[in-house]
Amino acid sequence: MVTLNQQTEQVYNWISDIPDPEIPVITIKDLGMLRNVKFENGNYVVTITPTYTACPAMKMIEDQIIEVLGTHNIHNVKVDLTYTPAWTSDWLSTEAKVKLKKYGIAPPSHSSCTKLFSAEERTVCPRCNSNHTSLISRFGSTACKALYKCDDCKEVFDLFKCH
Amino acid sequence: MTTKEALYNYSLRMGDNALILGHRLSEWCSKAPIIEEDLALTNVALDMIGRAQAFLKYSAILKNEGQTEDDLAYCRSEKEYHNHLITEQPNGDFAHTIARQLYISIFEYHFFSHLEQSADVEFAAIAAKAVKEVKYHREHAIDWTIRLGDGTAESHKRMQAAINDLWMWTGELFEMDEVDTILLKDGISVDLAPIRDLWKKELDKVLLEAMLVFPEAEYMQSGSRKGIHTENMGHILSEMQYLQRAYPDAKW
Ligand SMILES: [Zn+2]
């Protein structure tokens, strides 16, 4: 007999591989956006949290969750959005940080977010590992990234912001 | 006024502030002086739209009349908006946009840091998200204020002019009425008197470093709590609501 817990765990596993629409090398589980799956009033309730309040990927992620579970013949799905606890880049798994770096995005370097872009913070170039890098702009191509340049290899790169 | 009505109004105000400032900032899209600033200002605009969506969605739930956040954003008339008048002021030159960002982001940083402690769990949750984002807005505005204020003769002149021009809209940020006081009793709203002190102290420090003079004018313009706006608001709404008015209930 399959227990309810096993079923929700199975649902969790099926959707945990859904990639982030903007950084497709990491999944919604890697990012810490997938918070919970439970069975309630006849529905599988999937709880997700946005990285930034205006994260434009939320609707797409919701659609993908419904689509993926649909392929497993599960149609009683509700996707809930929560703001608490507030998402933090501390939730990125070590594995996710490795994947980000390989993809050319510098992962957040430290876990405390009290000092943004302070001089002592070293952002390492994801291409040549140099720490002679400088900030171009706090705001990058998506809400979760800042723009840096490497003073050694001269490449411009994104930093996944500490948040 | 009941606590529930006060909650609705408080949430609506915060939603409107974010919505109108977000709209104003989005007008910089493709027009900023350099591409990094184009990205920065539109990123800030995006944060604002996200925050507006969160507060207006909560407002709609509190009102419980079957409305959505979109109905509140696009189907109200001018007098039903309660955004601070500073948010609807035109972008002006880059210095004016930065001065507006400086005044608002320092205020919002302290305001949301306190609202994070609110007894209302939804306010506390949205505030916790907002404060993380506002940190970036504030650093961005402070950096530019110092760079322009302590820059060339021309940039200094423009930055000082912008600081002076927008000054009279800042008093309203700290106004409190029945809505604030009803909620303050239950630990839901933020007492704005200590926020004003924190704001002034920080602003003073930034302006000093930027070689700018702290404005002295005492006259402050207000009206937003009563839904009275400047002539700018009608223009914003005519653009922002055009699609919804021309094609009601249009779907993406
Ligand atoms: Zn490099």
Side-chain angles (χ1 to χ4, degrees), chain A residues 124-130 132-133 149-155 157:
Chain A
V124 176
C125 171
R127 295 178 194 276
C128 74
N129 292 318
S130 162
H132 299 127
T133 58
K149 66 168 187 253
C150 175
D151 299 326
D152 282 333
C153 76
K154 311 292 179 201
E155 279 291 335
F157 65 91

Side-chain angles (χ1 to χ4, degrees), chain B residues 59-171:
Chain B
S59 304
I61 291 168
L62 289 166
K63 198 159 198 199
N64 199 21
E65 287 176 5
Q67 287 174 312
T68 66
E69 59 270 33
D70 282 355
D71 295 326
L72 289 175
Y74 298 120
C75 301
R76 278 179 294 152
S77 60
E78 187 176 323
K79 284 202 158 184
E80 294 167 301
Y81 282 84
H82 295 280
N83 53 288
H84 293 131
L85 301 181
I86 191 171
T87 61
E88 66 196 47
Q89 297 312 305
N91 287 337
D93 62 7
F94 187 66
H96 277 77
T97 291
I98 292 301
R100 193 180 59 201
Q101 283 305 106
L102 182 76
Y103 288 148
I104 294 176
S105 63
I106 295 178
F107 164 74
E108 286 189 336
Y109 173 71
H110 295 292
F111 177 80
F112 285 116
S113 298
H114 282 72
L115 192 70
E116 229 183 305
Q117 267 51 259
S118 174
D120 185 90
V121 290
E122 195 64 27
F123 282 169
I126 303 170
K129 296 288 293 176
V131 80
K132 282 173 172 244
E133 295 168 6
V134 167
K135 275 185 194 171
Y136 286 92
H137 308 167
R138 171 167 151 261
E139 288 219 355
H140 172 252
I142 291 174
D143 265 14
W144 273 110
T145 301
I146 294 168
R147 202 162 146 189
L148 296 174
D150 191 13
T152 66
E154 177 70 12
S155 74
H156 174 82
K157 193 181 87 190
R158 288 197 188 209
M159 197 62 227
Q160 184 68 60
I163 287 288
N164 295 346
D165 287 350
L166 288 162
W167 178 247
M168 72 163 171
W169 310 105
T170 59

Side-chain angles (χ1 to χ4, degrees), chain A residues 4-47:
Chain A
L4 192 58
N5 271 345
Q6 284 170 319
Q7 279 173 24
T8 51
E9 204 179 309
Q10 178 67 75
V11 165
Y12 184 93
N13 288 335
W14 277 328
I15 58 179
S16 61
D17 287 340
I18 293 174
D20 175 74
E22 289 177 333
I23 311 171
V25 289
I26 48 177
T27 67
I28 56 172
K29 186 191 162 194
D30 287 336
L31 266 170
M33 292 171 89
L34 177 58
R35 303 309 299 160
N36 189 31
V37 176
K38 62 185 173 190
F39 193 77
E40 205 176 72
N41 302 326
N43 288 310
Y44 287 98
V45 181
V46 178
T47 306

